[in-house]
Amino acid sequence: MAESLKTSTSTEGNKKQATPLRCFTGAAVSGTFSVLCYRMMIAIATSFAAKPIVSEKAVVLNISAAVRTLVVGIVALGAGVFGIAALGLLLLGIQLLIKKVAGQDATV
């Protein structure tokens, strides 16, 4: 019981404060991942469009269309999530800058 209290106290002390620099750096990294995922999605979709499925069986066509849609969709989801995270971090950094200029405490 005492060990669990020590662990929770030590992890709370290790939290780092959000600063505008950290927010903007995180936004840049997340934005980069978003753009890379978007480019990868376009490359995958182009590759799939250039190589049509050659089969006469309906089951094969349906499964391959579903798998292709799933692959492109997962990569698009990654691009969207990273893009939204980048936007949120950018807005948080701007908010922290405004608070700092206004002289308020910039703790999050």
Side-chain angles (χ1 to χ4, degrees):
M1 183 80 156
E3 290 179 25
S4 64
L5 291 175
K6 281 184 179 178
T7 307
S8 65
T9 315
S10 64
T11 56
E12 289 176 4
N14 292 338
K15 290 185 181 178
K16 296 181 181 178
Q17 186 175 0
T19 62
L21 178 63
R22 296 181 103 193
C23 291
F24 294 140
T25 304
V29 170
S30 185
T32 302
F33 284 156
S34 178
V35 169
L36 291 176
C37 282
Y38 177 75
R39 287 186 178 179
M40 185 169 65
M41 179 194 68
I42 296 299
I44 290 170
T46 305
S47 174
F48 284 162
K51 300 172 188 166
I53 308 299
V54 181
S55 178
E56 294 181 6
K57 299 190 181 216
V59 174
V60 172
L61 293 174
N62 288 338
I63 290 174
S64 64
V67 168
R68 286 178 172 209
T69 303
L70 183 67
V71 169
V72 173
I74 292 293
V75 178
L77 180 67
V81 167
F82 279 118
I84 291 171
L87 180 64
L89 284 169
L90 181 69
L91 294 175
L92 177 63
I94 291 170
Q95 180 183 14
L96 290 175
L97 274 177
I98 291 171
K99 282 185 176 182
K100 187 180 255 187
V101 168
Q104 296 177 354
D105 186 21
T107 58
V108 175

